Amino acid sequence: MKATVSGIEAILVDLPTIRAHQLAMATMQQQTLVIVRLRCSDGIEGIGEATTIGGLSYGEESPEGIKLAIDTYLAPALAGVDASNVHAAMARLGKVARGNRFAKSALETALLDAQAKRLGVPLATLLGGAVRPTLPALWTLASGDTGRDIEEAEGLLAQRRHNTFKLKIGRRSVRDDVAHVSAIKRALGDRARVTVDVNQAWNEADAATGIAMLEAAGIDLVEQPVPRENRRALARLAARFVVPIMADEAVSGPEDAMELARLAGADVFALKIAKSGGIFGMLRTAAVGDAAGIALYGGTMLEGSVGTIAAAHGFCTLPELAWGTELFGPLLLKDDVVTQRPVYREFDLHLPEGPGLGLTLDEDKLAFYRRDKA
Ligand code: MUC
Ligand code: MG
């Protein structure tokens, strides 16, 4: 019996965070997930998630816009299509909508979750198989306070939960940011790797000054120091400094990856399923990086468990993942909408077992946190 897509629901879910999370462009006090439920005629339901950071301040899609795009354009285009043919379904979405990669990613995850459940295999198995059973996951220190960040890092090192810390900078002056980062690196020493994410906040001159000082302070990686459009500046910085430069906002899909590879524009690519329009787009982006000798890193949009585990299934199939991942999103949330939250142990994220994503929605929590609850 052929299974077809019989219904799609996109649900806005507002969840509290464990603390404020300060980035160059926004301070998050909570996180909004868009949870997608995709029902099929054979009774199987797939779930997916589209999540961004800080409304419209980080990317071009907002949670509300993602829901609108799904409800109005994408869900109607999938009504009645063969639910077992994910590539054909996604090609159809490509015809009805340009861009809207986060929304498409959530739908692709839901289709893949449903199909893997139908076949009785984990999603990574449907993708060809996992080459690593767990994924290293870093933690982002972004409380806005140096002392509090050091205390947080010390606690997580002692618990053996994380040994790599990413610092969000770019809000303050270059000098203040460098002082903050250097103090944290001095306190942690060789016990932890410390990386920074500038989230496009510096111009090229600031970046040259800042990166020279960060390099001297022993920082391991500098992520997206300049605006994403300024690929040539990224290339000049990558050529000038020994500390690896990572492209994040500058690399969405394989086309960006190709352009950056041509320019020698980055040493590392941050991969994310949302910005690539789904797991397959992320894998195509990774393939370009691999071919160009660019190291890979598994990024996050600070998704909850559904989006995080979807990305994890994709990342664990990559032959090379030299810089590990930052799949810590669920840990930033006080609560979630799944019955069992992901396990983090011995510095790694452990994938759940079971078919599909290996997750089940918690109906009570979903009812409680959904924005449109009665
Ligand atoms: C980004 O730009 O990498 C990842 C961790 C975090 O705190 O924000 C992000 C997004
Ligand atoms: Mg980033």
Side-chain angles (χ1 to χ4, degrees), residues 97-121:
R98 291 187 181 273
N100 289 276
R101 291 184 300 257
F102 285 54
K104 288 175 183 169
S105 173
L107 289 164
E108 191 205 73
T109 298
L111 284 160
L112 285 168
D113 181 41
Q115 178 62 4
K117 284 174 178 160
R118 193 169 288 121
L119 298 173
V121 296

mmCIF file with all atom_site columns, all heavy atoms in Angstrom, residues 97-121:
data_model
loop_
_atom_site.group_PDB
_atom_site.id
_atom_site.type_symbol
_atom_site.label_atom_id
_atom_site.label_alt_id
_atom_site.label_comp_id
_atom_site.label_asym_id
_atom_site.label_entity_id
_atom_site.label_seq_id
_atom_site.pdbx_PDB_ins_code
_atom_site.Cartn_x
_atom_site.Cartn_y
_atom_site.Cartn_z
_atom_site.occupancy
_atom_site.B_iso_or_equiv
_atom_site.pdbx_formal_charge
_atom_site.auth_seq_id
_atom_site.auth_comp_id
_atom_site.auth_asym_id
_atom_site.auth_atom_id
_atom_site.pdbx_PDB_model_num
ATOM 1   N N   . ALA A 1 97  ? 8.483  26.910 -3.951  1.00 0.00 ? 97  ALA A N   1
ATOM 2   C CA  . ALA A 1 97  ? 9.043  27.976 -3.098  1.00 0.00 ? 97  ALA A CA  1
ATOM 3   C C   . ALA A 1 97  ? 10.546 28.105 -3.296  1.00 0.00 ? 97  ALA A C   1
ATOM 4   O O   . ALA A 1 97  ? 11.272 27.118 -3.246  1.00 0.00 ? 97  ALA A O   1
ATOM 5   C CB  . ALA A 1 97  ? 8.757  27.672 -1.629  1.00 0.00 ? 97  ALA A CB  1
ATOM 6   N N   . ARG A 1 98  ? 10.992 29.336 -3.515  1.00 0.00 ? 98  ARG A N   1
ATOM 7   C CA  . ARG A 1 98  ? 12.437 29.605 -3.502  1.00 0.00 ? 98  ARG A CA  1
ATOM 8   C C   . ARG A 1 98  ? 12.858 29.811 -2.052  1.00 0.00 ? 98  ARG A C   1
ATOM 9   O O   . ARG A 1 98  ? 12.044 30.230 -1.228  1.00 0.00 ? 98  ARG A O   1
ATOM 10  C CB  . ARG A 1 98  ? 12.738 30.877 -4.297  1.00 0.00 ? 98  ARG A CB  1
ATOM 11  C CG  . ARG A 1 98  ? 12.510 30.687 -5.761  1.00 0.00 ? 98  ARG A CG  1
ATOM 12  C CD  . ARG A 1 98  ? 12.963 31.899 -6.545  1.00 0.00 ? 98  ARG A CD  1
ATOM 13  N NE  . ARG A 1 98  ? 12.689 31.662 -7.951  1.00 0.00 ? 98  ARG A NE  1
ATOM 14  C CZ  . ARG A 1 98  ? 13.522 31.046 -8.781  1.00 0.00 ? 98  ARG A CZ  1
ATOM 15  N NH1 . ARG A 1 98  ? 14.700 30.633 -8.338  1.00 0.00 ? 98  ARG A NH1 1
ATOM 16  N NH2 . ARG A 1 98  ? 13.198 30.857 -10.039 1.00 0.00 ? 98  ARG A NH2 1
ATOM 17  N N   . GLY A 1 99  ? 14.113 29.579 -1.780  1.00 0.00 ? 99  GLY A N   1
ATOM 18  C CA  . GLY A 1 99  ? 14.618 29.854 -0.421  1.00 0.00 ? 99  GLY A CA  1
ATOM 19  C C   . GLY A 1 99  ? 13.815 29.097 0.625   1.00 0.00 ? 99  GLY A C   1
ATOM 20  O O   . GLY A 1 99  ? 13.506 27.928 0.453   1.00 0.00 ? 99  GLY A O   1
ATOM 21  N N   . ASN A 1 100 ? 13.489 29.801 1.720   1.00 0.00 ? 100 ASN A N   1
ATOM 22  C CA  . ASN A 1 100 ? 12.702 29.184 2.810   1.00 0.00 ? 100 ASN A CA  1
ATOM 23  C C   . ASN A 1 100 ? 13.343 27.870 3.268   1.00 0.00 ? 100 ASN A C   1
ATOM 24  O O   . ASN A 1 100 ? 12.673 26.859 3.456   1.00 0.00 ? 100 ASN A O   1
ATOM 25  C CB  . ASN A 1 100 ? 11.242 28.968 2.377   1.00 0.00 ? 100 ASN A CB  1
ATOM 26  C CG  . ASN A 1 100 ? 10.497 30.274 2.272   1.00 0.00 ? 100 ASN A CG  1
ATOM 27  O OD1 . ASN A 1 100 ? 9.983  30.800 3.256   1.00 0.00 ? 100 ASN A OD1 1
ATOM 28  N ND2 . ASN A 1 100 ? 10.475 30.849 1.083   1.00 0.00 ? 100 ASN A ND2 1
ATOM 29  N N   . ARG A 1 101 ? 14.655 27.934 3.454   1.00 0.00 ? 101 ARG A N   1
ATOM 30  C CA  . ARG A 1 101 ? 15.400 26.707 3.718   1.00 0.00 ? 101 ARG A CA  1
ATOM 31  C C   . ARG A 1 101 ? 15.098 26.098 5.090   1.00 0.00 ? 101 ARG A C   1
ATOM 32  O O   . ARG A 1 101 ? 15.091 24.877 5.238   1.00 0.00 ? 101 ARG A O   1
ATOM 33  C CB  . ARG A 1 101 ? 16.905 26.978 3.568   1.00 0.00 ? 101 ARG A CB  1
ATOM 34  C CG  . ARG A 1 101 ? 17.311 27.242 2.126   1.00 0.00 ? 101 ARG A CG  1
ATOM 35  C CD  . ARG A 1 101 ? 18.802 27.405 2.022   1.00 0.00 ? 101 ARG A CD  1
ATOM 36  N NE  . ARG A 1 101 ? 19.242 28.510 2.841   1.00 0.00 ? 101 ARG A NE  1
ATOM 37  C CZ  . ARG A 1 101 ? 19.566 29.705 2.373   1.00 0.00 ? 101 ARG A CZ  1
ATOM 38  N NH1 . ARG A 1 101 ? 19.544 29.946 1.093   1.00 0.00 ? 101 ARG A NH1 1
ATOM 39  N NH2 . ARG A 1 101 ? 19.948 30.657 3.192   1.00 0.00 ? 101 ARG A NH2 1
ATOM 40  N N   . PHE A 1 102 ? 14.855 26.965 6.080   1.00 0.00 ? 102 PHE A N   1
ATOM 41  C CA  . PHE A 1 102 ? 14.565 26.422 7.415   1.00 0.00 ? 102 PHE A CA  1
ATOM 42  C C   . PHE A 1 102 ? 13.252 25.634 7.380   1.00 0.00 ? 102 PHE A C   1
ATOM 43  O O   . PHE A 1 102 ? 13.164 24.528 7.912   1.00 0.00 ? 102 PHE A O   1
ATOM 44  C CB  . PHE A 1 102 ? 14.469 27.553 8.455   1.00 0.00 ? 102 PHE A CB  1
ATOM 45  C CG  . PHE A 1 102 ? 15.795 28.137 8.853   1.00 0.00 ? 102 PHE A CG  1
ATOM 46  C CD1 . PHE A 1 102 ? 16.689 28.617 7.909   1.00 0.00 ? 102 PHE A CD1 1
ATOM 47  C CD2 . PHE A 1 102 ? 16.150 28.223 10.191  1.00 0.00 ? 102 PHE A CD2 1
ATOM 48  C CE1 . PHE A 1 102 ? 17.922 29.167 8.290   1.00 0.00 ? 102 PHE A CE1 1
ATOM 49  C CE2 . PHE A 1 102 ? 17.365 28.756 10.591  1.00 0.00 ? 102 PHE A CE2 1
ATOM 50  C CZ  . PHE A 1 102 ? 18.250 29.236 9.642   1.00 0.00 ? 102 PHE A CZ  1
ATOM 51  N N   . ALA A 1 103 ? 12.241 26.244 6.726   1.00 0.00 ? 103 ALA A N   1
ATOM 52  C CA  . ALA A 1 103 ? 10.931 25.580 6.633   1.00 0.00 ? 103 ALA A CA  1
ATOM 53  C C   . ALA A 1 103 ? 11.067 24.260 5.882   1.00 0.00 ? 103 ALA A C   1
ATOM 54  O O   . ALA A 1 103 ? 10.522 23.222 6.295   1.00 0.00 ? 103 ALA A O   1
ATOM 55  C CB  . ALA A 1 103 ? 9.938  26.503 5.925   1.00 0.00 ? 103 ALA A CB  1
ATOM 56  N N   . LYS A 1 104 ? 11.820 24.281 4.779   1.00 0.00 ? 104 LYS A N   1
ATOM 57  C CA  . LYS A 1 104 ? 12.005 23.046 3.994   1.00 0.00 ? 104 LYS A CA  1
ATOM 58  C C   . LYS A 1 104 ? 12.757 21.990 4.805   1.00 0.00 ? 104 LYS A C   1
ATOM 59  O O   . LYS A 1 104 ? 12.458 20.795 4.714   1.00 0.00 ? 104 LYS A O   1
ATOM 60  C CB  . LYS A 1 104 ? 12.759 23.355 2.695   1.00 0.00 ? 104 LYS A CB  1
ATOM 61  C CG  . LYS A 1 104 ? 11.910 24.106 1.670   1.00 0.00 ? 104 LYS A CG  1
ATOM 62  C CD  . LYS A 1 104 ? 12.757 24.495 0.460   1.00 0.00 ? 104 LYS A CD  1
ATOM 63  C CE  . LYS A 1 104 ? 11.941 25.307 -0.544  1.00 0.00 ? 104 LYS A CE  1
ATOM 64  N NZ  . LYS A 1 104 ? 12.801 25.911 -1.576  1.00 0.00 ? 104 LYS A NZ  1
ATOM 65  N N   . SER A 1 105 ? 13.732 22.436 5.579   1.00 0.00 ? 105 SER A N   1
ATOM 66  C CA  . SER A 1 105 ? 14.504 21.488 6.393   1.00 0.00 ? 105 SER A CA  1
ATOM 67  C C   . SER A 1 105 ? 13.604 20.749 7.380   1.00 0.00 ? 105 SER A C   1
ATOM 68  O O   . SER A 1 105 ? 13.712 19.532 7.556   1.00 0.00 ? 105 SER A O   1
ATOM 69  C CB  . SER A 1 105 ? 15.613 22.241 7.143   1.00 0.00 ? 105 SER A CB  1
ATOM 70  O OG  . SER A 1 105 ? 16.263 21.388 8.046   1.00 0.00 ? 105 SER A OG  1
ATOM 71  N N   . ALA A 1 106 ? 12.687 21.492 8.018   1.00 0.00 ? 106 ALA A N   1
ATOM 72  C CA  . ALA A 1 106 ? 11.788 20.851 8.993   1.00 0.00 ? 106 ALA A CA  1
ATOM 73  C C   . ALA A 1 106 ? 10.912 19.806 8.302   1.00 0.00 ? 106 ALA A C   1
ATOM 74  O O   . ALA A 1 106 ? 10.690 18.710 8.834   1.00 0.00 ? 106 ALA A O   1
ATOM 75  C CB  . ALA A 1 106 ? 10.913 21.900 9.671   1.00 0.00 ? 106 ALA A CB  1
ATOM 76  N N   . LEU A 1 107 ? 10.429 20.137 7.105   1.00 0.00 ? 107 LEU A N   1
ATOM 77  C CA  . LEU A 1 107 ? 9.579  19.186 6.377   1.00 0.00 ? 107 LEU A CA  1
ATOM 78  C C   . LEU A 1 107 ? 10.382 17.980 5.920   1.00 0.00 ? 107 LEU A C   1
ATOM 79  O O   . LEU A 1 107 ? 9.906  16.845 5.984   1.00 0.00 ? 107 LEU A O   1
ATOM 80  C CB  . LEU A 1 107 ? 8.913  19.887 5.182   1.00 0.00 ? 107 LEU A CB  1
ATOM 81  C CG  . LEU A 1 107 ? 7.828  20.897 5.593   1.00 0.00 ? 107 LEU A CG  1
ATOM 82  C CD1 . LEU A 1 107 ? 7.489  21.827 4.438   1.00 0.00 ? 107 LEU A CD1 1
ATOM 83  C CD2 . LEU A 1 107 ? 6.573  20.176 6.085   1.00 0.00 ? 107 LEU A CD2 1
ATOM 84  N N   . GLU A 1 108 ? 11.628 18.211 5.483   1.00 0.00 ? 108 GLU A N   1
ATOM 85  C CA  . GLU A 1 108 ? 12.459 17.079 5.059   1.00 0.00 ? 108 GLU A CA  1
ATOM 86  C C   . GLU A 1 108 ? 12.730 16.156 6.246   1.00 0.00 ? 108 GLU A C   1
ATOM 87  O O   . GLU A 1 108 ? 12.645 14.934 6.124   1.00 0.00 ? 108 GLU A O   1
ATOM 88  C CB  . GLU A 1 108 ? 13.784 17.579 4.459   1.00 0.00 ? 108 GLU A CB  1
ATOM 89  C CG  . GLU A 1 108 ? 14.552 16.451 3.776   1.00 0.00 ? 108 GLU A CG  1
ATOM 90  C CD  . GLU A 1 108 ? 16.047 16.733 3.715   1.00 0.00 ? 108 GLU A CD  1
ATOM 91  O OE1 . GLU A 1 108 ? 16.711 16.658 4.762   1.00 0.00 ? 108 GLU A OE1 1
ATOM 92  O OE2 . GLU A 1 108 ? 16.531 17.011 2.614   1.00 0.00 ? 108 GLU A OE2 1
ATOM 93  N N   . THR A 1 109 ? 13.021 16.744 7.403   1.00 0.00 ? 109 THR A N   1
ATOM 94  C CA  . THR A 1 109 ? 13.237 15.912 8.602   1.00 0.00 ? 109 THR A CA  1
ATOM 95  C C   . THR A 1 109 ? 12.004 15.062 8.886   1.00 0.00 ? 109 THR A C   1
ATOM 96  O O   . THR A 1 109 ? 12.114 13.864 9.175   1.00 0.00 ? 109 THR A O   1
ATOM 97  C CB  . THR A 1 109 ? 13.535 16.788 9.841   1.00 0.00 ? 109 THR A CB  1
ATOM 98  O OG1 . THR A 1 109 ? 14.730 17.529 9.624   1.00 0.00 ? 109 THR A OG1 1
ATOM 99  C CG2 . THR A 1 109 ? 13.696 15.943 11.091  1.00 0.00 ? 109 THR A CG2 1
ATOM 100 N N   . ALA A 1 110 ? 10.821 15.684 8.799   1.00 0.00 ? 110 ALA A N   1
ATOM 101 C CA  . ALA A 1 110 ? 9.586  14.951 9.117   1.00 0.00 ? 110 ALA A CA  1
ATOM 102 C C   . ALA A 1 110 ? 9.354  13.820 8.115   1.00 0.00 ? 110 ALA A C   1
ATOM 103 O O   . ALA A 1 110 ? 8.945  12.712 8.487   1.00 0.00 ? 110 ALA A O   1
ATOM 104 C CB  . ALA A 1 110 ? 8.401  15.919 9.146   1.00 0.00 ? 110 ALA A CB  1
ATOM 105 N N   . LEU A 1 111 ? 9.622  14.082 6.841   1.00 0.00 ? 111 LEU A N   1
ATOM 106 C CA  . LEU A 1 111 ? 9.476  13.026 5.824   1.00 0.00 ? 111 LEU A CA  1
ATOM 107 C C   . LEU A 1 111 ? 10.463 11.883 6.093   1.00 0.00 ? 111 LEU A C   1
ATOM 108 O O   . LEU A 1 111 ? 10.112 10.705 5.994   1.00 0.00 ? 111 LEU A O   1
ATOM 109 C CB  . LEU A 1 111 ? 9.748  13.607 4.421   1.00 0.00 ? 111 LEU A CB  1
ATOM 110 C CG  . LEU A 1 111 ? 8.636  14.468 3.818   1.00 0.00 ? 111 LEU A CG  1
ATOM 111 C CD1 . LEU A 1 111 ? 9.193  15.357 2.700   1.00 0.00 ? 111 LEU A CD1 1
ATOM 112 C CD2 . LEU A 1 111 ? 7.494  13.601 3.283   1.00 0.00 ? 111 LEU A CD2 1
ATOM 113 N N   . LEU A 1 112 ? 11.703 12.242 6.427   1.00 0.00 ? 112 LEU A N   1
ATOM 114 C CA  . LEU A 1 112 ? 12.730 11.222 6.686   1.00 0.00 ? 112 LEU A CA  1
ATOM 115 C C   . LEU A 1 112 ? 12.416 10.429 7.957   1.00 0.00 ? 112 LEU A C   1
ATOM 116 O O   . LEU A 1 112 ? 12.601 9.206  8.000   1.00 0.00 ? 112 LEU A O   1
ATOM 117 C CB  . LEU A 1 112 ? 14.110 11.876 6.810   1.00 0.00 ? 112 LEU A CB  1
ATOM 118 C CG  . LEU A 1 112 ? 14.745 12.344 5.498   1.00 0.00 ? 112 LEU A CG  1
ATOM 119 C CD1 . LEU A 1 112 ? 15.955 13.233 5.781   1.00 0.00 ? 112 LEU A CD1 1
ATOM 120 C CD2 . LEU A 1 112 ? 15.157 11.141 4.645   1.00 0.00 ? 112 LEU A CD2 1
ATOM 121 N N   . ASP A 1 113 ? 11.930 11.127 8.976   1.00 0.00 ? 113 ASP A N   1
ATOM 122 C CA  . ASP A 1 113 ? 11.559 10.444 10.226  1.00 0.00 ? 113 ASP A CA  1
ATOM 123 C C   . ASP A 1 113 ? 10.454 9.427  9.943   1.00 0.00 ? 113 ASP A C   1
ATOM 124 O O   . ASP A 1 113 ? 10.523 8.275  10.381  1.00 0.00 ? 113 ASP A O   1
ATOM 125 C CB  . ASP A 1 113 ? 11.113 11.492 11.257  1.00 0.00 ? 113 ASP A CB  1
ATOM 126 C CG  . ASP A 1 113 ? 10.722 10.893 12.596  1.00 0.00 ? 113 ASP A CG  1
ATOM 127 O OD1 . ASP A 1 113 ? 11.428 9.967  13.062  1.00 0.00 ? 113 ASP A OD1 1
ATOM 128 O OD2 . ASP A 1 113 ? 9.713  11.344 13.191  1.00 0.00 ? 113 ASP A OD2 1
ATOM 129 N N   . ALA A 1 114 ? 9.445  9.863  9.177   1.00 0.00 ? 114 ALA A N   1
ATOM 130 C CA  . ALA A 1 114 ? 8.324  8.962  8.853   1.00 0.00 ? 114 ALA A CA  1
ATOM 131 C C   . ALA A 1 114 ? 8.813  7.765  8.040   1.00 0.00 ? 114 ALA A C   1
ATOM 132 O O   . ALA A 1 114 ? 8.447  6.618  8.322   1.00 0.00 ? 114 ALA A O   1
ATOM 133 C CB  . ALA A 1 114 ? 7.246  9.721  8.077   1.00 0.00 ? 114 ALA A CB  1
ATOM 134 N N   . GLN A 1 115 ? 9.649  8.010  7.053   1.00 0.00 ? 115 GLN A N   1
ATOM 135 C CA  . GLN A 1 115 ? 10.101 6.916  6.188   1.00 0.00 ? 115 GLN A CA  1
ATOM 136 C C   . GLN A 1 115 ? 10.996 5.938  6.959   1.00 0.00 ? 115 GLN A C   1
ATOM 137 O O   . GLN A 1 115 ? 10.891 4.724  6.787   1.00 0.00 ? 115 GLN A O   1
ATOM 138 C CB  . GLN A 1 115 ? 10.819 7.486  4.948   1.00 0.00 ? 115 GLN A CB  1
ATOM 139 C CG  . GLN A 1 115 ? 11.367 6.455  3.998   1.00 0.00 ? 115 GLN A CG  1
ATOM 140 C CD  . GLN A 1 115 ? 10.289 5.546  3.373   1.00 0.00 ? 115 GLN A CD  1
ATOM 141 O OE1 . GLN A 1 115 ? 9.092  5.734  3.598   1.00 0.00 ? 115 GLN A OE1 1
ATOM 142 N NE2 . GLN A 1 115 ? 10.725 4.558  2.627   1.00 0.00 ? 115 GLN A NE2 1
ATOM 143 N N   . ALA A 1 116 ? 11.872 6.467  7.817   1.00 0.00 ? 116 ALA A N   1
ATOM 144 C CA  . ALA A 1 116 ? 12.734 5.579  8.611   1.00 0.00 ? 116 ALA A CA  1
ATOM 145 C C   . ALA A 1 116 ? 11.883 4.746  9.577   1.00 0.00 ? 116 ALA A C   1
ATOM 146 O O   . ALA A 1 116 ? 12.144 3.552  9.778   1.00 0.00 ? 116 ALA A O   1
ATOM 147 C CB  . ALA A 1 116 ? 13.789 6.394  9.352   1.00 0.00 ? 116 ALA A CB  1
ATOM 148 N N   . LYS A 1 117 ? 10.836 5.365  10.147  1.00 0.00 ? 117 LYS A N   1
ATOM 149 C CA  . LYS A 1 117 ? 9.923  4.600  11.020  1.00 0.00 ? 117 LYS A CA  1
ATOM 150 C C   . LYS A 1 117 ? 9.225  3.504  10.210  1.00 0.00 ? 117 LYS A C   1
ATOM 151 O O   . LYS A 1 117 ? 9.053  2.379  10.675  1.00 0.00 ? 117 LYS A O   1
ATOM 152 C CB  . LYS A 1 117 ? 8.865  5.525  11.633  1.00 0.00 ? 117 LYS A CB  1
ATOM 153 C CG  . LYS A 1 117 ? 9.385  6.397  12.771  1.00 0.00 ? 117 LYS A CG  1
ATOM 154 C CD  . LYS A 1 117 ? 8.277  7.372  13.177  1.00 0.00 ? 117 LYS A CD  1
ATOM 155 C CE  . LYS A 1 117 ? 8.678  8.242  14.340  1.00 0.00 ? 117 LYS A CE  1
ATOM 156 N NZ  . LYS A 1 117 ? 7.831  9.471  14.400  1.00 0.00 ? 117 LYS A NZ  1
ATOM 157 N N   . ARG A 1 118 ? 8.824  3.855  9.003   1.00 0.00 ? 118 ARG A N   1
ATOM 158 C CA  . ARG A 1 118 ? 8.134  2.902  8.110   1.00 0.00 ? 118 ARG A CA  1
ATOM 159 C C   . ARG A 1 118 ? 9.033  1.693  7.843   1.00 0.00 ? 118 ARG A C   1
ATOM 160 O O   . ARG A 1 118 ? 8.580  0.560  7.800   1.00 0.00 ? 118 ARG A O   1
ATOM 161 C CB  . ARG A 1 118 ? 7.797  3.652  6.813   1.00 0.00 ? 118 ARG A CB  1
ATOM 162 C CG  . ARG A 1 118 ? 6.846  2.984  5.881   1.00 0.00 ? 118 ARG A CG  1
ATOM 163 C CD  . ARG A 1 118 ? 6.391  3.971  4.784   1.00 0.00 ? 118 ARG A CD  1
ATOM 164 N NE  . ARG A 1 118 ? 5.487  4.990  5.287   1.00 0.00 ? 118 ARG A NE  1
ATOM 165 C CZ  . ARG A 1 118 ? 5.709  6.315  5.237   1.00 0.00 ? 118 ARG A CZ  1
ATOM 166 N NH1 . ARG A 1 118 ? 6.803  6.802  4.671   1.00 0.00 ? 118 ARG A NH1 1
ATOM 167 N NH2 . ARG A 1 118 ? 4.831  7.142  5.742   1.00 0.00 ? 118 ARG A NH2 1
ATOM 168 N N   . LEU A 1 119 ? 10.332 1.962  7.667   1.00 0.00 ? 119 LEU A N   1
ATOM 169 C CA  . LEU A 1 119 ? 11.287 0.884  7.385   1.00 0.00 ? 119 LEU A CA  1
ATOM 170 C C   . LEU A 1 119 ? 11.808 0.229  8.662   1.00 0.00 ? 119 LEU A C   1
ATOM 171 O O   . LEU A 1 119 ? 12.510 -0.775 8.605   1.00 0.00 ? 119 LEU A O   1
ATOM 172 C CB  . LEU A 1 119 ? 12.477 1.432  6.574   1.00 0.00 ? 119 LEU A CB  1
ATOM 173 C CG  . LEU A 1 119 ? 12.134 2.013  5.197   1.00 0.00 ? 119 LEU A CG  1
ATOM 174 C CD1 . LEU A 1 119 ? 13.362 2.671  4.581   1.00 0.00 ? 119 LEU A CD1 1
ATOM 175 C CD2 . LEU A 1 119 ? 11.592 0.928  4.269   1.00 0.00 ? 119 LEU A CD2 1
ATOM 176 N N   . GLY A 1 120 ? 11.498 0.843  9.811   1.00 0.00 ? 120 GLY A N   1
ATOM 177 C CA  . GLY A 1 120 ? 11.940 0.279  11.097  1.00 0.00 ? 120 GLY A CA  1
ATOM 178 C C   . GLY A 1 120 ? 13.423 0.456  11.360  1.00 0.00 ? 120 GLY A C   1
ATOM 179 O O   . GLY A 1 120 ? 14.041 -0.356 12.052  1.00 0.00 ? 120 GLY A O   1
ATOM 180 N N   . VAL A 1 121 ? 14.017 1.551  10.811  1.00 0.00 ? 121 VAL A N   1
ATOM 181 C CA  . VAL A 1 121 ? 15.461 1.779  11.020  1.00 0.00 ? 121 VAL A CA  1
ATOM 182 C C   . VAL A 1 121 ? 15.706 3.195  11.550  1.00 0.00 ? 121 VAL A C   1
ATOM 183 O O   . VAL A 1 121 ? 14.903 4.100  11.318  1.00 0.00 ? 121 VAL A O   1
ATOM 184 C CB  . VAL A 1 121 ? 16.266 1.601  9.708   1.00 0.00 ? 121 VAL A CB  1
ATOM 185 C CG1 . VAL A 1 121 ? 16.181 0.164  9.213   1.00 0.00 ? 121 VAL A CG1 1
ATOM 186 C CG2 . VAL A 1 121 ? 15.816 2.580  8.628   1.00 0.00 ? 121 VAL A CG2 1
#
